[in-house]
Amino acid sequence: MNKISLAFSTLTTLITAGLLAAGPASAQSFAPSWAGASIGSTDYGTGLKVFVGGKVTPIFGWEGQVVSHGSEDYAGGRKHSAVSLGGSGTARFPLNSQFTAFGKAGLHYLRVKRSGPGVSSDSDLEIGLGAGMLFNITHTTALRLEYENIGGGDGDFFSIGLQVGF
């Protein structure tokens, strides 16, 4: 079984388990309810992320994302870059009317490309963990500050972004 098939199989299993655990929740409660984009600092330079998410309960939800972790040039014509695609379960904790803390954990397909003499690319299914804070600017718009790690050593991403609810 190749890595992409394994990633989709694992993601399907997690989604099915989540749906069963949600019990009588309606299908509408899984509909997307926010989207956004972030920019920040990664281990490879400047990273960009787009994400979409939704609530399952007032506290728990889901989020999917695509991240470009940037690229970094090294001596001898070498270059490293990374991209990831993943999904996470989320938990939100409103602190007051303006601030909400959140945490997330999930699985991500991470591809690291190393170009130059004697190096190659690799990809793997990795665990992603993150935490952050939302500052509500309006009823539907929030400033998002977040730290996330995908895959351990080379997966740090500190970002700031805008999240829009619908």
mmCIF file with all atom_site columns, all heavy atoms in Angstrom, residues 91-120:
data_model
loop_
_atom_site.group_PDB
_atom_site.id
_atom_site.type_symbol
_atom_site.label_atom_id
_atom_site.label_alt_id
_atom_site.label_comp_id
_atom_site.label_asym_id
_atom_site.label_entity_id
_atom_site.label_seq_id
_atom_site.pdbx_PDB_ins_code
_atom_site.Cartn_x
_atom_site.Cartn_y
_atom_site.Cartn_z
_atom_site.occupancy
_atom_site.B_iso_or_equiv
_atom_site.pdbx_formal_charge
_atom_site.auth_seq_id
_atom_site.auth_comp_id
_atom_site.auth_asym_id
_atom_site.auth_atom_id
_atom_site.pdbx_PDB_model_num
ATOM 1   N N   . ALA A 1 91  ? -10.644 21.772 19.324 1.00 0.00 ? 91  ALA A N   1
ATOM 2   C CA  . ALA A 1 91  ? -11.384 22.098 20.537 1.00 0.00 ? 91  ALA A CA  1
ATOM 3   C C   . ALA A 1 91  ? -11.237 23.595 20.771 1.00 0.00 ? 91  ALA A C   1
ATOM 4   O O   . ALA A 1 91  ? -10.128 24.123 20.695 1.00 0.00 ? 91  ALA A O   1
ATOM 5   C CB  . ALA A 1 91  ? -10.851 21.313 21.725 1.00 0.00 ? 91  ALA A CB  1
ATOM 6   N N   . ARG A 1 92  ? -12.355 24.273 21.000 1.00 0.00 ? 92  ARG A N   1
ATOM 7   C CA  . ARG A 1 92  ? -12.364 25.728 21.209 1.00 0.00 ? 92  ARG A CA  1
ATOM 8   C C   . ARG A 1 92  ? -12.816 26.026 22.631 1.00 0.00 ? 92  ARG A C   1
ATOM 9   O O   . ARG A 1 92  ? -13.737 25.393 23.140 1.00 0.00 ? 92  ARG A O   1
ATOM 10  C CB  . ARG A 1 92  ? -13.322 26.393 20.226 1.00 0.00 ? 92  ARG A CB  1
ATOM 11  C CG  . ARG A 1 92  ? -12.936 26.169 18.807 1.00 0.00 ? 92  ARG A CG  1
ATOM 12  C CD  . ARG A 1 92  ? -14.049 26.668 17.887 1.00 0.00 ? 92  ARG A CD  1
ATOM 13  N NE  . ARG A 1 92  ? -13.440 27.022 16.638 1.00 0.00 ? 92  ARG A NE  1
ATOM 14  C CZ  . ARG A 1 92  ? -13.285 28.260 16.191 1.00 0.00 ? 92  ARG A CZ  1
ATOM 15  N NH1 . ARG A 1 92  ? -13.751 29.267 16.852 1.00 0.00 ? 92  ARG A NH1 1
ATOM 16  N NH2 . ARG A 1 92  ? -12.673 28.482 15.057 1.00 0.00 ? 92  ARG A NH2 1
ATOM 17  N N   . PHE A 1 93  ? -12.182 27.031 23.224 1.00 0.00 ? 93  PHE A N   1
ATOM 18  C CA  . PHE A 1 93  ? -12.487 27.417 24.594 1.00 0.00 ? 93  PHE A CA  1
ATOM 19  C C   . PHE A 1 93  ? -12.661 28.936 24.658 1.00 0.00 ? 93  PHE A C   1
ATOM 20  O O   . PHE A 1 93  ? -11.682 29.674 24.776 1.00 0.00 ? 93  PHE A O   1
ATOM 21  C CB  . PHE A 1 93  ? -11.358 26.973 25.531 1.00 0.00 ? 93  PHE A CB  1
ATOM 22  C CG  . PHE A 1 93  ? -11.030 25.508 25.390 1.00 0.00 ? 93  PHE A CG  1
ATOM 23  C CD1 . PHE A 1 93  ? -9.950  25.098 24.616 1.00 0.00 ? 93  PHE A CD1 1
ATOM 24  C CD2 . PHE A 1 93  ? -11.819 24.549 26.005 1.00 0.00 ? 93  PHE A CD2 1
ATOM 25  C CE1 . PHE A 1 93  ? -9.656  23.753 24.474 1.00 0.00 ? 93  PHE A CE1 1
ATOM 26  C CE2 . PHE A 1 93  ? -11.527 23.199 25.852 1.00 0.00 ? 93  PHE A CE2 1
ATOM 27  C CZ  . PHE A 1 93  ? -10.450 22.801 25.096 1.00 0.00 ? 93  PHE A CZ  1
ATOM 28  N N   . PRO A 1 94  ? -13.913 29.429 24.573 1.00 0.00 ? 94  PRO A N   1
ATOM 29  C CA  . PRO A 1 94  ? -14.142 30.873 24.652 1.00 0.00 ? 94  PRO A CA  1
ATOM 30  C C   . PRO A 1 94  ? -13.687 31.397 26.020 1.00 0.00 ? 94  PRO A C   1
ATOM 31  O O   . PRO A 1 94  ? -14.062 30.847 27.060 1.00 0.00 ? 94  PRO A O   1
ATOM 32  C CB  . PRO A 1 94  ? -15.653 31.012 24.488 1.00 0.00 ? 94  PRO A CB  1
ATOM 33  C CG  . PRO A 1 94  ? -16.114 29.727 23.881 1.00 0.00 ? 94  PRO A CG  1
ATOM 34  C CD  . PRO A 1 94  ? -15.152 28.686 24.350 1.00 0.00 ? 94  PRO A CD  1
ATOM 35  N N   . LEU A 1 95  ? -12.862 32.437 26.008 1.00 0.00 ? 95  LEU A N   1
ATOM 36  C CA  . LEU A 1 95  ? -12.378 33.034 27.248 1.00 0.00 ? 95  LEU A CA  1
ATOM 37  C C   . LEU A 1 95  ? -13.258 34.215 27.667 1.00 0.00 ? 95  LEU A C   1
ATOM 38  O O   . LEU A 1 95  ? -13.480 34.443 28.847 1.00 0.00 ? 95  LEU A O   1
ATOM 39  C CB  . LEU A 1 95  ? -10.926 33.472 27.082 1.00 0.00 ? 95  LEU A CB  1
ATOM 40  C CG  . LEU A 1 95  ? -9.964  32.350 26.666 1.00 0.00 ? 95  LEU A CG  1
ATOM 41  C CD1 . LEU A 1 95  ? -8.581  32.900 26.418 1.00 0.00 ? 95  LEU A CD1 1
ATOM 42  C CD2 . LEU A 1 95  ? -9.937  31.254 27.723 1.00 0.00 ? 95  LEU A CD2 1
ATOM 43  N N   . ASN A 1 96  ? -13.700 34.978 26.677 1.00 0.00 ? 96  ASN A N   1
ATOM 44  C CA  . ASN A 1 96  ? -14.663 36.058 26.869 1.00 0.00 ? 96  ASN A CA  1
ATOM 45  C C   . ASN A 1 96  ? -15.250 36.380 25.503 1.00 0.00 ? 96  ASN A C   1
ATOM 46  O O   . ASN A 1 96  ? -15.068 35.614 24.564 1.00 0.00 ? 96  ASN A O   1
ATOM 47  C CB  . ASN A 1 96  ? -14.025 37.286 27.557 1.00 0.00 ? 96  ASN A CB  1
ATOM 48  C CG  . ASN A 1 96  ? -12.854 37.864 26.774 1.00 0.00 ? 96  ASN A CG  1
ATOM 49  O OD1 . ASN A 1 96  ? -12.853 37.883 25.550 1.00 0.00 ? 96  ASN A OD1 1
ATOM 50  N ND2 . ASN A 1 96  ? -11.842 38.330 27.495 1.00 0.00 ? 96  ASN A ND2 1
ATOM 51  N N   . SER A 1 97  ? -15.927 37.515 25.351 1.00 0.00 ? 97  SER A N   1
ATOM 52  C CA  . SER A 1 97  ? -16.585 37.813 24.078 1.00 0.00 ? 97  SER A CA  1
ATOM 53  C C   . SER A 1 97  ? -15.600 38.098 22.946 1.00 0.00 ? 97  SER A C   1
ATOM 54  O O   . SER A 1 97  ? -15.956 37.988 21.778 1.00 0.00 ? 97  SER A O   1
ATOM 55  C CB  . SER A 1 97  ? -17.547 38.985 24.235 1.00 0.00 ? 97  SER A CB  1
ATOM 56  O OG  . SER A 1 97  ? -16.829 40.156 24.583 1.00 0.00 ? 97  SER A OG  1
ATOM 57  N N   . GLN A 1 98  ? -14.349 38.435 23.271 1.00 0.00 ? 98  GLN A N   1
ATOM 58  C CA  . GLN A 1 98  ? -13.378 38.765 22.227 1.00 0.00 ? 98  GLN A CA  1
ATOM 59  C C   . GLN A 1 98  ? -12.328 37.700 21.983 1.00 0.00 ? 98  GLN A C   1
ATOM 60  O O   . GLN A 1 98  ? -11.767 37.626 20.895 1.00 0.00 ? 98  GLN A O   1
ATOM 61  C CB  . GLN A 1 98  ? -12.686 40.088 22.544 1.00 0.00 ? 98  GLN A CB  1
ATOM 62  C CG  . GLN A 1 98  ? -13.550 41.290 22.267 1.00 0.00 ? 98  GLN A CG  1
ATOM 63  C CD  . GLN A 1 98  ? -12.715 42.550 22.258 1.00 0.00 ? 98  GLN A CD  1
ATOM 64  O OE1 . GLN A 1 98  ? -12.107 42.885 23.260 1.00 0.00 ? 98  GLN A OE1 1
ATOM 65  N NE2 . GLN A 1 98  ? -12.684 43.223 21.125 1.00 0.00 ? 98  GLN A NE2 1
ATOM 66  N N   . PHE A 1 99  ? -12.010 36.880 22.974 1.00 0.00 ? 99  PHE A N   1
ATOM 67  C CA  . PHE A 1 99  ? -10.910 35.930 22.847 1.00 0.00 ? 99  PHE A CA  1
ATOM 68  C C   . PHE A 1 99  ? -11.395 34.484 22.971 1.00 0.00 ? 99  PHE A C   1
ATOM 69  O O   . PHE A 1 99  ? -12.180 34.159 23.856 1.00 0.00 ? 99  PHE A O   1
ATOM 70  C CB  . PHE A 1 99  ? -9.843  36.177 23.915 1.00 0.00 ? 99  PHE A CB  1
ATOM 71  C CG  . PHE A 1 99  ? -9.077  37.445 23.714 1.00 0.00 ? 99  PHE A CG  1
ATOM 72  C CD1 . PHE A 1 99  ? -9.437  38.594 24.401 1.00 0.00 ? 99  PHE A CD1 1
ATOM 73  C CD2 . PHE A 1 99  ? -8.005  37.501 22.837 1.00 0.00 ? 99  PHE A CD2 1
ATOM 74  C CE1 . PHE A 1 99  ? -8.733  39.773 24.217 1.00 0.00 ? 99  PHE A CE1 1
ATOM 75  C CE2 . PHE A 1 99  ? -7.298  38.669 22.645 1.00 0.00 ? 99  PHE A CE2 1
ATOM 76  C CZ  . PHE A 1 99  ? -7.671  39.814 23.347 1.00 0.00 ? 99  PHE A CZ  1
ATOM 77  N N   . THR A 1 100 ? -10.871 33.633 22.082 1.00 0.00 ? 100 THR A N   1
ATOM 78  C CA  . THR A 1 100 ? -11.131 32.201 22.122 1.00 0.00 ? 100 THR A CA  1
ATOM 79  C C   . THR A 1 100 ? -9.808  31.470 21.953 1.00 0.00 ? 100 THR A C   1
ATOM 80  O O   . THR A 1 100 ? -9.074  31.727 20.998 1.00 0.00 ? 100 THR A O   1
ATOM 81  C CB  . THR A 1 100 ? -12.097 31.776 20.994 1.00 0.00 ? 100 THR A CB  1
ATOM 82  O OG1 . THR A 1 100 ? -13.324 32.487 21.129 1.00 0.00 ? 100 THR A OG1 1
ATOM 83  C CG2 . THR A 1 100 ? -12.358 30.283 21.025 1.00 0.00 ? 100 THR A CG2 1
ATOM 84  N N   . ALA A 1 101 ? -9.500  30.579 22.884 1.00 0.00 ? 101 ALA A N   1
ATOM 85  C CA  . ALA A 1 101 ? -8.317  29.725 22.752 1.00 0.00 ? 101 ALA A CA  1
ATOM 86  C C   . ALA A 1 101 ? -8.740  28.459 22.007 1.00 0.00 ? 101 ALA A C   1
ATOM 87  O O   . ALA A 1 101 ? -9.896  28.043 22.075 1.00 0.00 ? 101 ALA A O   1
ATOM 88  C CB  . ALA A 1 101 ? -7.761  29.376 24.126 1.00 0.00 ? 101 ALA A CB  1
ATOM 89  N N   . PHE A 1 102 ? -7.810  27.854 21.275 1.00 0.00 ? 102 PHE A N   1
ATOM 90  C CA  . PHE A 1 102 ? -8.123  26.600 20.589 1.00 0.00 ? 102 PHE A CA  1
ATOM 91  C C   . PHE A 1 102 ? -6.903  25.697 20.548 1.00 0.00 ? 102 PHE A C   1
ATOM 92  O O   . PHE A 1 102 ? -5.760  26.143 20.647 1.00 0.00 ? 102 PHE A O   1
ATOM 93  C CB  . PHE A 1 102 ? -8.670  26.845 19.166 1.00 0.00 ? 102 PHE A CB  1
ATOM 94  C CG  . PHE A 1 102 ? -7.676  27.425 18.196 1.00 0.00 ? 102 PHE A CG  1
ATOM 95  C CD1 . PHE A 1 102 ? -6.882  26.603 17.416 1.00 0.00 ? 102 PHE A CD1 1
ATOM 96  C CD2 . PHE A 1 102 ? -7.553  28.792 18.057 1.00 0.00 ? 102 PHE A CD2 1
ATOM 97  C CE1 . PHE A 1 102 ? -5.977  27.135 16.517 1.00 0.00 ? 102 PHE A CE1 1
ATOM 98  C CE2 . PHE A 1 102 ? -6.656  29.339 17.159 1.00 0.00 ? 102 PHE A CE2 1
ATOM 99  C CZ  . PHE A 1 102 ? -5.860  28.510 16.382 1.00 0.00 ? 102 PHE A CZ  1
ATOM 100 N N   . GLY A 1 103 ? -7.177  24.419 20.416 1.00 0.00 ? 103 GLY A N   1
ATOM 101 C CA  . GLY A 1 103 ? -6.139  23.415 20.240 1.00 0.00 ? 103 GLY A CA  1
ATOM 102 C C   . GLY A 1 103 ? -6.586  22.478 19.139 1.00 0.00 ? 103 GLY A C   1
ATOM 103 O O   . GLY A 1 103 ? -7.777  22.389 18.823 1.00 0.00 ? 103 GLY A O   1
ATOM 104 N N   . LYS A 1 104 ? -5.635  21.790 18.535 1.00 0.00 ? 104 LYS A N   1
ATOM 105 C CA  . LYS A 1 104 ? -5.986  20.845 17.476 1.00 0.00 ? 104 LYS A CA  1
ATOM 106 C C   . LYS A 1 104 ? -4.945  19.739 17.388 1.00 0.00 ? 104 LYS A C   1
ATOM 107 O O   . LYS A 1 104 ? -3.780  19.936 17.742 1.00 0.00 ? 104 LYS A O   1
ATOM 108 C CB  . LYS A 1 104 ? -6.164  21.541 16.132 1.00 0.00 ? 104 LYS A CB  1
ATOM 109 C CG  . LYS A 1 104 ? -4.947  22.259 15.592 1.00 0.00 ? 104 LYS A CG  1
ATOM 110 C CD  . LYS A 1 104 ? -5.343  22.997 14.330 1.00 0.00 ? 104 LYS A CD  1
ATOM 111 C CE  . LYS A 1 104 ? -4.155  23.534 13.602 1.00 0.00 ? 104 LYS A CE  1
ATOM 112 N NZ  . LYS A 1 104 ? -4.531  24.157 12.339 1.00 0.00 ? 104 LYS A NZ  1
ATOM 113 N N   . ALA A 1 105 ? -5.401  18.585 16.910 1.00 0.00 ? 105 ALA A N   1
ATOM 114 C CA  . ALA A 1 105 ? -4.519  17.433 16.697 1.00 0.00 ? 105 ALA A CA  1
ATOM 115 C C   . ALA A 1 105 ? -5.048  16.672 15.494 1.00 0.00 ? 105 ALA A C   1
ATOM 116 O O   . ALA A 1 105 ? -6.261  16.524 15.338 1.00 0.00 ? 105 ALA A O   1
ATOM 117 C CB  . ALA A 1 105 ? -4.495  16.536 17.928 1.00 0.00 ? 105 ALA A CB  1
ATOM 118 N N   . GLY A 1 106 ? -4.128  16.212 14.631 1.00 0.00 ? 106 GLY A N   1
ATOM 119 C CA  . GLY A 1 106 ? -4.573  15.494 13.450 1.00 0.00 ? 106 GLY A CA  1
ATOM 120 C C   . GLY A 1 106 ? -3.461  14.813 12.699 1.00 0.00 ? 106 GLY A C   1
ATOM 121 O O   . GLY A 1 106 ? -2.333  14.688 13.192 1.00 0.00 ? 106 GLY A O   1
ATOM 122 N N   . LEU A 1 107 ? -3.789  14.391 11.475 1.00 0.00 ? 107 LEU A N   1
ATOM 123 C CA  . LEU A 1 107 ? -2.842  13.714 10.597 1.00 0.00 ? 107 LEU A CA  1
ATOM 124 C C   . LEU A 1 107 ? -2.617  14.551 9.348  1.00 0.00 ? 107 LEU A C   1
ATOM 125 O O   . LEU A 1 107 ? -3.560  15.145 8.815  1.00 0.00 ? 107 LEU A O   1
ATOM 126 C CB  . LEU A 1 107 ? -3.378  12.342 10.193 1.00 0.00 ? 107 LEU A CB  1
ATOM 127 C CG  . LEU A 1 107 ? -3.465  11.307 11.298 1.00 0.00 ? 107 LEU A CG  1
ATOM 128 C CD1 . LEU A 1 107 ? -4.157  10.058 10.783 1.00 0.00 ? 107 LEU A CD1 1
ATOM 129 C CD2 . LEU A 1 107 ? -2.085  10.978 11.831 1.00 0.00 ? 107 LEU A CD2 1
ATOM 130 N N   . HIS A 1 108 ? -1.364  14.574 8.883  1.00 0.00 ? 108 HIS A N   1
ATOM 131 C CA  . HIS A 1 108 ? -0.991  15.384 7.737  1.00 0.00 ? 108 HIS A CA  1
ATOM 132 C C   . HIS A 1 108 ? -0.064  14.599 6.816  1.00 0.00 ? 108 HIS A C   1
ATOM 133 O O   . HIS A 1 108 ? 0.844   13.905 7.285  1.00 0.00 ? 108 HIS A O   1
ATOM 134 C CB  . HIS A 1 108 ? -0.273  16.657 8.190  1.00 0.00 ? 108 HIS A CB  1
ATOM 135 C CG  . HIS A 1 108 ? -1.111  17.500 9.092  1.00 0.00 ? 108 HIS A CG  1
ATOM 136 N ND1 . HIS A 1 108 ? -1.889  18.514 8.629  1.00 0.00 ? 108 HIS A ND1 1
ATOM 137 C CD2 . HIS A 1 108 ? -1.300  17.463 10.428 1.00 0.00 ? 108 HIS A CD2 1
ATOM 138 C CE1 . HIS A 1 108 ? -2.526  19.077 9.634  1.00 0.00 ? 108 HIS A CE1 1
ATOM 139 N NE2 . HIS A 1 108 ? -2.183  18.446 10.740 1.00 0.00 ? 108 HIS A NE2 1
ATOM 140 N N   . TYR A 1 109 ? -0.301  14.735 5.526  1.00 0.00 ? 109 TYR A N   1
ATOM 141 C CA  . TYR A 1 109 ? 0.611   14.205 4.523  1.00 0.00 ? 109 TYR A CA  1
ATOM 142 C C   . TYR A 1 109 ? 1.657   15.295 4.304  1.00 0.00 ? 109 TYR A C   1
ATOM 143 O O   . TYR A 1 109 ? 1.342   16.399 3.862  1.00 0.00 ? 109 TYR A O   1
ATOM 144 C CB  . TYR A 1 109 ? -0.147  13.898 3.231  1.00 0.00 ? 109 TYR A CB  1
ATOM 145 C CG  . TYR A 1 109 ? 0.757   13.501 2.093  1.00 0.00 ? 109 TYR A CG  1
ATOM 146 C CD1 . TYR A 1 109 ? 1.310   12.226 2.040  1.00 0.00 ? 109 TYR A CD1 1
ATOM 147 C CD2 . TYR A 1 109 ? 1.053   14.395 1.074  1.00 0.00 ? 109 TYR A CD2 1
ATOM 148 C CE1 . TYR A 1 109 ? 2.146   11.861 0.989  1.00 0.00 ? 109 TYR A CE1 1
ATOM 149 C CE2 . TYR A 1 109 ? 1.886   14.033 0.027  1.00 0.00 ? 109 TYR A CE2 1
ATOM 150 C CZ  . TYR A 1 109 ? 2.427   12.769 0.000  1.00 0.00 ? 109 TYR A CZ  1
ATOM 151 O OH  . TYR A 1 109 ? 3.251   12.412 -1.041 1.00 0.00 ? 109 TYR A OH  1
ATOM 152 N N   . LEU A 1 110 ? 2.906   15.023 4.665  1.00 0.00 ? 110 LEU A N   1
ATOM 153 C CA  . LEU A 1 110 ? 3.998   15.991 4.579  1.00 0.00 ? 110 LEU A CA  1
ATOM 154 C C   . LEU A 1 110 ? 4.988   15.535 3.517  1.00 0.00 ? 110 LEU A C   1
ATOM 155 O O   . LEU A 1 110 ? 5.461   14.398 3.548  1.00 0.00 ? 110 LEU A O   1
ATOM 156 C CB  . LEU A 1 110 ? 4.710   16.118 5.924  1.00 0.00 ? 110 LEU A CB  1
ATOM 157 C CG  . LEU A 1 110 ? 5.925   17.037 5.989  1.00 0.00 ? 110 LEU A CG  1
ATOM 158 C CD1 . LEU A 1 110 ? 5.523   18.493 5.765  1.00 0.00 ? 110 LEU A CD1 1
ATOM 159 C CD2 . LEU A 1 110 ? 6.621   16.881 7.338  1.00 0.00 ? 110 LEU A CD2 1
ATOM 160 N N   . ARG A 1 111 ? 5.285   16.436 2.586  1.00 0.00 ? 111 ARG A N   1
ATOM 161 C CA  . ARG A 1 111 ? 6.276   16.137 1.543  1.00 0.00 ? 111 ARG A CA  1
ATOM 162 C C   . ARG A 1 111 ? 7.420   17.137 1.672  1.00 0.00 ? 111 ARG A C   1
ATOM 163 O O   . ARG A 1 111 ? 7.210   18.349 1.569  1.00 0.00 ? 111 ARG A O   1
ATOM 164 C CB  . ARG A 1 111 ? 5.675   16.237 0.157  1.00 0.00 ? 111 ARG A CB  1
ATOM 165 C CG  . ARG A 1 111 ? 6.701   15.911 -0.912 1.00 0.00 ? 111 ARG A CG  1
ATOM 166 C CD  . ARG A 1 111 ? 6.062   15.716 -2.260 1.00 0.00 ? 111 ARG A CD  1
ATOM 167 N NE  . ARG A 1 111 ? 7.061   15.255 -3.189 1.00 0.00 ? 111 ARG A NE  1
ATOM 168 C CZ  . ARG A 1 111 ? 7.365   15.880 -4.308 1.00 0.00 ? 111 ARG A CZ  1
ATOM 169 N NH1 . ARG A 1 111 ? 6.726   16.964 -4.655 1.00 0.00 ? 111 ARG A NH1 1
ATOM 170 N NH2 . ARG A 1 111 ? 8.290   15.392 -5.103 1.00 0.00 ? 111 ARG A NH2 1
ATOM 171 N N   . VAL A 1 112 ? 8.606   16.623 1.896  1.00 0.00 ? 112 VAL A N   1
ATOM 172 C CA  . VAL A 1 112 ? 9.821   17.436 1.987  1.00 0.00 ? 112 VAL A CA  1
ATOM 173 C C   . VAL A 1 112 ? 10.640  17.168 0.743  1.00 0.00 ? 112 VAL A C   1
ATOM 174 O O   . VAL A 1 112 ? 10.942  16.022 0.420  1.00 0.00 ? 112 VAL A O   1
ATOM 175 C CB  . VAL A 1 112 ? 10.635  17.103 3.257  1.00 0.00 ? 112 VAL A CB  1
ATOM 176 C CG1 . VAL A 1 112 ? 11.916  17.922 3.310  1.00 0.00 ? 112 VAL A CG1 1
ATOM 177 C CG2 . VAL A 1 112 ? 9.791   17.330 4.502  1.00 0.00 ? 112 VAL A CG2 1
ATOM 178 N N   . LYS A 1 113 ? 10.978  18.227 0.034  1.00 0.00 ? 113 LYS A N   1
ATOM 179 C CA  . LYS A 1 113 ? 11.761  18.104 -1.187 1.00 0.00 ? 113 LYS A CA  1
ATOM 180 C C   . LYS A 1 113 ? 13.145  18.693 -0.939 1.00 0.00 ? 113 LYS A C   1
ATOM 181 O O   . LYS A 1 113 ? 13.274  19.832 -0.516 1.00 0.00 ? 113 LYS A O   1
ATOM 182 C CB  . LYS A 1 113 ? 11.069  18.848 -2.333 1.00 0.00 ? 113 LYS A CB  1
ATOM 183 C CG  . LYS A 1 113 ? 11.775  18.705 -3.650 1.00 0.00 ? 113 LYS A CG  1
ATOM 184 C CD  . LYS A 1 113 ? 11.006  19.414 -4.756 1.00 0.00 ? 113 LYS A CD  1
ATOM 185 C CE  . LYS A 1 113 ? 11.722  19.284 -6.079 1.00 0.00 ? 113 LYS A CE  1
ATOM 186 N NZ  . LYS A 1 113 ? 11.006  19.994 -7.137 1.00 0.00 ? 113 LYS A NZ  1
ATOM 187 N N   . ARG A 1 114 ? 14.149  17.879 -1.213 1.00 0.00 ? 114 ARG A N   1
ATOM 188 C CA  . ARG A 1 114 ? 15.543  18.319 -1.083 1.00 0.00 ? 114 ARG A CA  1
ATOM 189 C C   . ARG A 1 114 ? 16.166  18.226 -2.463 1.00 0.00 ? 114 ARG A C   1
ATOM 190 O O   . ARG A 1 114 ? 16.297  17.140 -3.004 1.00 0.00 ? 114 ARG A O   1
ATOM 191 C CB  . ARG A 1 114 ? 16.277  17.430 -0.092 1.00 0.00 ? 114 ARG A CB  1
ATOM 192 C CG  . ARG A 1 114 ? 15.729  17.535 1.309  1.00 0.00 ? 114 ARG A CG  1
ATOM 193 C CD  . ARG A 1 114 ? 16.397  16.522 2.238  1.00 0.00 ? 114 ARG A CD  1
ATOM 194 N NE  . ARG A 1 114 ? 15.805  16.554 3.548  1.00 0.00 ? 114 ARG A NE  1
ATOM 195 C CZ  . ARG A 1 114 ? 14.828  15.758 3.953  1.00 0.00 ? 114 ARG A CZ  1
ATOM 196 N NH1 . ARG A 1 114 ? 14.346  14.843 3.124  1.00 0.00 ? 114 ARG A NH1 1
ATOM 197 N NH2 . ARG A 1 114 ? 14.333  15.853 5.157  1.00 0.00 ? 114 ARG A NH2 1
ATOM 198 N N   . SER A 1 115 ? 16.508  19.359 -3.025 1.00 0.00 ? 115 SER A N   1
ATOM 199 C CA  . SER A 1 115 ? 17.104  19.359 -4.361 1.00 0.00 ? 115 SER A CA  1
ATOM 200 C C   . SER A 1 115 ? 18.574  19.743 -4.263 1.00 0.00 ? 115 SER A C   1
ATOM 201 O O   . SER A 1 115 ? 18.997  20.387 -3.316 1.00 0.00 ? 115 SER A O   1
ATOM 202 C CB  . SER A 1 115 ? 16.352  20.319 -5.284 1.00 0.00 ? 115 SER A CB  1
ATOM 203 O OG  . SER A 1 115 ? 16.394  21.623 -4.773 1.00 0.00 ? 115 SER A OG  1
ATOM 204 N N   . GLY A 1 116 ? 19.320  19.335 -5.261 1.00 0.00 ? 116 GLY A N   1
ATOM 205 C CA  . GLY A 1 116 ? 20.748  19.604 -5.290 1.00 0.00 ? 116 GLY A CA  1
ATOM 206 C C   . GLY A 1 116 ? 21.516  18.304 -5.361 1.00 0.00 ? 116 GLY A C   1
ATOM 207 O O   . GLY A 1 116 ? 20.932  17.221 -5.416 1.00 0.00 ? 116 GLY A O   1
ATOM 208 N N   . PRO A 1 117 ? 22.839  18.385 -5.320 1.00 0.00 ? 117 PRO A N   1
ATOM 209 C CA  . PRO A 1 117 ? 23.667  17.182 -5.444 1.00 0.00 ? 117 PRO A CA  1
ATOM 210 C C   . PRO A 1 117 ? 23.478  16.215 -4.279 1.00 0.00 ? 117 PRO A C   1
ATOM 211 O O   . PRO A 1 117 ? 23.554  16.594 -3.128 1.00 0.00 ? 117 PRO A O   1
ATOM 212 C CB  . PRO A 1 117 ? 25.100  17.726 -5.446 1.00 0.00 ? 117 PRO A CB  1
ATOM 213 C CG  . PRO A 1 117 ? 24.997  19.201 -5.515 1.00 0.00 ? 117 PRO A CG  1
ATOM 214 C CD  . PRO A 1 117 ? 23.597  19.597 -5.217 1.00 0.00 ? 117 PRO A CD  1
ATOM 215 N N   . GLY A 1 118 ? 23.149  14.974 -4.602 1.00 0.00 ? 118 GLY A N   1
ATOM 216 C CA  . GLY A 1 118 ? 23.111  13.908 -3.612 1.00 0.00 ? 118 GLY A CA  1
ATOM 217 C C   . GLY A 1 118 ? 21.935  13.922 -2.653 1.00 0.00 ? 118 GLY A C   1
ATOM 218 O O   . GLY A 1 118 ? 21.990  13.266 -1.632 1.00 0.00 ? 118 GLY A O   1
ATOM 219 N N   . VAL A 1 119 ? 20.881  14.661 -2.938 1.00 0.00 ? 119 VAL A N   1
ATOM 220 C CA  . VAL A 1 119 ? 19.731  14.685 -2.039 1.00 0.00 ? 119 VAL A CA  1
ATOM 221 C C   . VAL A 1 119 ? 18.451  14.377 -2.805 1.00 0.00 ? 119 VAL A C   1
ATOM 222 O O   . VAL A 1 119 ? 18.433  14.420 -4.034 1.00 0.00 ? 119 VAL A O   1
ATOM 223 C CB  . VAL A 1 119 ? 19.604  16.041 -1.306 1.00 0.00 ? 119 VAL A CB  1
ATOM 224 C CG1 . VAL A 1 119 ? 20.725  16.246 -0.319 1.00 0.00 ? 119 VAL A CG1 1
ATOM 225 C CG2 . VAL A 1 119 ? 19.569  17.192 -2.283 1.00 0.00 ? 119 VAL A CG2 1
ATOM 226 N N   . SER A 1 120 ? 17.389  14.042 -2.102 1.00 0.00 ? 120 SER A N   1
ATOM 227 C CA  . SER A 1 120 ? 16.147  13.628 -2.762 1.00 0.00 ? 120 SER A CA  1
ATOM 228 C C   . SER A 1 120 ? 14.940  14.138 -1.985 1.00 0.00 ? 120 SER A C   1
ATOM 229 O O   . SER A 1 120 ? 15.068  14.920 -1.064 1.00 0.00 ? 120 SER A O   1
ATOM 230 C CB  . SER A 1 120 ? 16.105  12.110 -2.862 1.00 0.00 ? 120 SER A CB  1
ATOM 231 O OG  . SER A 1 120 ? 16.092  11.561 -1.560 1.00 0.00 ? 120 SER A OG  1
#
